[in-house]
Amino acid sequence: MPSSTIGRRVRPAYPILLLLAPVLAAGCATTRPGAPPDGVAPTPPAVWATGEQPAATPTVAAPTGSARPAPSSAGPSATAPRAGLRHVFPVRADNVAYHPTHGAYPATDIFADCGEPVVAVTDGTVLEVSRTDRYDKRGPQGPENGGLSVALLGDDGVRYYGSHLSGVATGVNAGVRVRAGQQLGKVGRTGNANNVCHLHFGISPPCAGRDGWWIRRGVLWPARYLDSWRRGGNREPAAEVTAWQRKHGCPKAP
């Protein structure tokens, strides 16, 4: 497929999307939009996850199960946020589509075939990893909705969250450094993905030790950043994230 069709944003021009809104509010997306036309952690150690790593740099072994950092009131990182970092589209695939909106709260569902690579949006440190799908539709809705997931604290000071994965890449564990474009996992349908292959993508501030799933899942609309990254641009969400946190702080669960 020509590169011009990769990651084509699907605009909600069809009435069916309006009918889906009540369903989306209850969970993640239940249908994939049409195909495009023409077809916080401790101070990070000096190690990188496997895959696209710099030469002569050691890697770490991947533990089994889930890795979740202990809450800390000291903040997620002692490193000052950096501007001008490279940002890339979070799914590396030819057949990708996404809605500019999302049910109930700001986020985006990026639809692609199960197994397509999910990559780091920018350089940063892995905050949390879930390698076990604990979602139960009969249980509380919210804490485990994401199924398999990875949360990344970018060096720009922004947290990027991807969930519903079918698998997490070897060596991607809490505290590990990753580069923009490095594979973190694979598109899947775990959690409350409703049997539809997609990546739930959220942007939020890292409220170390004072937040939870209700912030991690997303507080900003990502579409305009995704639009830029898909075209090879580098629109940065750090300023919007900072403004949001100044206004809202780290709110408790809704």
Side-chain angles (χ1 to χ4, degrees), residues 189-250:
R189 52 190 179 191
T190 56
N192 70 337
N194 296 313
N195 209 36
V196 178
C197 297
H198 70 282
L199 173 73
H200 173 94
F201 181 70
I203 298 176
S204 66
C207 296
R210 299 183 297 278
D211 72 339
W213 57 267
W214 58 92
I215 301 176
R216 182 179 62 239
R217 67 186 182 180
V219 301
L220 304 180
W221 295 108
R224 60 177 179 165
Y225 301 105
L226 293 173
D227 289 346
S228 173
W229 303 337
R230 177 176 58 84
R231 295 191 300 263
N234 200 41
R235 190 165 194 166
E236 301 182 61
E240 188 179 2
V241 168
T242 298
W244 185 94
Q245 190 169 19
R246 284 175 179 168
K247 180 177 180 179
H248 300 280
C250 293

Side-chain angles (χ1 to χ4, degrees), residues 14 18 48 71 83 92 96 98 110 114 137 140 165 171 196 212-213 224:
Y14 303 100
L18 299 178
W48 295 73
R92 189 168 63 233
V96 180
Y98 55 95
I110 302 174
C114 277
K137 63 181 179 181
L165 306 177
V196 178
W213 57 267
R224 60 177 179 165

Side-chain angles (χ1 to χ4, degrees), residues 3-250:
S3 59
S4 61
T5 64
I6 297 176
R8 181 74 56 84
R9 169 177 166 185
V10 176
R11 301 185 179 276
Y14 303 100
I16 187 63
L17 295 182
L18 299 178
L19 298 177
L20 283 173
V23 180
L24 295 177
C28 239
T30 57
T31 59
R32 174 173 179 162
D38 302 324
V40 169
T43 301
V47 294
W48 295 73
T50 55
E52 297 188 18
Q53 59 191 12
T57 302
T59 60
V60 294
T64 57
S66 298
R68 298 178 184 269
S72 169
S73 59
S77 173
T79 303
R82 296 163 51 199
L85 293 170
R86 175 185 174 225
H87 292 74
V88 301
F89 196 82
V91 176
R92 189 168 63 233
D94 290 337
N95 186 18
V96 180
Y98 55 95
H99 293 300
T101 59
H102 187 274
Y105 58 90
T108 295
D109 290 331
I110 302 174
F111 297 87
D113 293 336
C114 277
E116 296 286 17
V118 172
V119 303
V121 167
T122 192
D123 295 354
T125 302
V126 177
L127 284 175
E128 295 180 80
V129 174
S130 172
R131 285 186 165 86
T132 302
D133 187 358
R134 298 184 177 88
Y135 176 70
D136 184 348
K137 63 181 179 181
R138 299 166 297 181
Q141 299 300 294
E144 306 295 345
N145 284 12
L148 276 63
S149 63
V150 176
L152 169 69
L153 175 60
D155 289 348
D156 56 0
V158 176
R159 173 171 46 188
Y160 301 97
Y161 173 68
S163 64
H164 304 318
L165 306 177
S166 60
V168 177
T170 300
V172 174
N173 306 302
V176 165
R177 295 280 298 162
V178 294
R179 280 183 164 178
Q182 181 173 328
Q183 185 168 350
L184 302 179
K186 298 179 180 180
V187 173
R189 52 190 179 191
T190 56
N192 70 337
N194 296 313
N195 209 36
V196 178
C197 297
H198 70 282
L199 173 73
H200 173 94
F201 181 70
I203 298 176
S204 66
C207 296
R210 299 183 297 278
D211 72 339
W213 57 267
W214 58 92
I215 301 176
R216 182 179 62 239
R217 67 186 182 180
V219 301
L220 304 180
W221 295 108
R224 60 177 179 165
Y225 301 105
L226 293 173
D227 289 346
S228 173
W229 303 337
R230 177 176 58 84
R231 295 191 300 263
N234 200 41
R235 190 165 194 166
E236 301 182 61
E240 188 179 2
V241 168
T242 298
W244 185 94
Q245 190 169 19
R246 284 175 179 168
K247 180 177 180 179
H248 300 280
C250 293

